């Protein structure tokens, strides 16, 4: 007789205790992506800036209506840059770049990725060096996230170039 309530209690503890871990895994599965456009008029060997809104399949980090309060210590764990239009654009035409993340209004901006000395023959996809020294909890819980890329071109493009920035995030379960 006493076994059934104990089993149910254990099952409930496991289920509710794993919500934080589950939310941590779910939030870390879907990267923030942003489409950055480099105009054909961008000048070579000068610092240029491109801004876009970061989106995620599981973007609802707000604390009302989901379990986002169960995660903390959100950080960048990976960063990638890939050409999307034209798909064969050589990212080696970019000499260096930095990627920043901020609230939608541009406040609380932090650098999340960097790549210096990009090889001239890099191809259409590169991995960026991450800066995970900042917690991004406050940023990703905003309704919109701004992604800003500061870059220096090595070679100009004949047409506007669209690049996709993918920022993988990780978090830990909150207590």
């Amino acid at each position: 007789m006493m076994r059934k309530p104990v089993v149910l209690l254990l099952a409930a503890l496991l289920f509710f205790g794993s919500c934080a871990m589950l939310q941590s895994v779910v939030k870390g599965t879907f990267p923030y992506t942003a489409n950055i456009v480099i105009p054909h008029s961008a000048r070579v060997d000068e610092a240029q800036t491109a801004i876009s809104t970061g989106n995620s399949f599981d973007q609802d980090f707000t604390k009302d209506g989901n379990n986002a309060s169960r995660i903390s210590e959100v950080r960048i764990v990976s960063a990638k840059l890939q050409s999307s239009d034209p798909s064969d654009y050589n990212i080696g035409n970019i000499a260096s770049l930095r990627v920043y993340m901020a609230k939608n209004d541009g406040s609380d901006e932090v650098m999340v990725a960097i790549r210096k000395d990009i090889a001239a023959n890099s191809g259409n996809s590169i991995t960026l060096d991450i800066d995970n020294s900042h917690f991004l909890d406050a940023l990703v819980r905003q309704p919109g996230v701004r992604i800003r890329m500061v870059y220096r071109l090595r070679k100009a493009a004949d047409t506007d170039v669209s690049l996709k920035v993918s920022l993988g995030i990780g978090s830990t379960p909150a207590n």
Side-chain angles (χ1 to χ4, degrees):
M1 281 312 245
M2 196 62 158
R3 285 184 131 180
K4 189 174 183 179
V6 171
V7 170
L8 288 175
L9 181 62
L10 284 174
L13 286 173
L14 285 173
F15 175 76
F16 290 112
S18 68
C19 285
M21 180 60 79
L22 178 63
Q23 284 302 309
S24 180
V25 169
V26 168
K27 300 300 183 194
T29 302
F30 303 105
Y32 267 86
T33 60
N35 292 318
I36 301 287
V37 176
I38 297 177
H40 73 279
S41 60
R43 297 182 184 215
V44 173
D45 213 22
E46 289 184 16
Q48 306 286 323
T49 299
I51 297 172
S52 181
T53 301
N55 297 302
S56 176
F57 177 77
D58 186 34
Q59 191 163 334
D60 187 9
F61 274 87
T62 56
K63 290 188 177 187
D64 47 330
N66 72 9
N67 291 328
S69 61
R70 297 184 185 266
I71 63 168
S72 64
E73 299 179 4
V74 178
R75 294 180 192 232
I76 295 294
V77 295
S78 67
K80 182 178 178 181
L81 183 67
Q82 183 175 2
S83 60
S84 53
D85 187 29
S87 61
D88 62 346
Y89 176 75
N90 179 18
I91 294 176
N93 293 334
I94 303 170
S96 63
L97 62 89
R98 294 176 189 263
V99 178
Y100 298 88
M101 188 181 239
K103 291 181 180 176
N104 205 21
D105 63 2
S107 63
D108 296 335
E109 185 176 70
V110 294
M111 186 177 73
V112 293
I114 186 171
R115 187 71 184 263
K116 298 178 183 178
D117 301 324
I118 299 171
N121 59 353
S122 293
N124 68 345
S125 178
I126 63 170
T127 300
L128 306 176
D129 300 320
I130 61 169
D131 179 355
N132 63 0
S133 62
H134 307 282
F135 290 124
L136 305 173
D137 299 47
L139 290 178
V140 297
R141 287 190 173 111
Q142 298 298 309
V145 176
R146 185 176 95 155
I147 306 296
R148 181 172 73 100
M149 186 173 87
V150 177
Y151 61 94
R152 190 173 297 273
L153 287 178
R154 174 180 287 120
K155 180 181 173 186
D158 298 331
T159 147
D160 291 353
V161 175
S162 181
L163 302 172
K164 179 181 169 185
V165 176
S166 297
L167 301 172
I169 57 170
S171 62
T172 57
N175 294 336

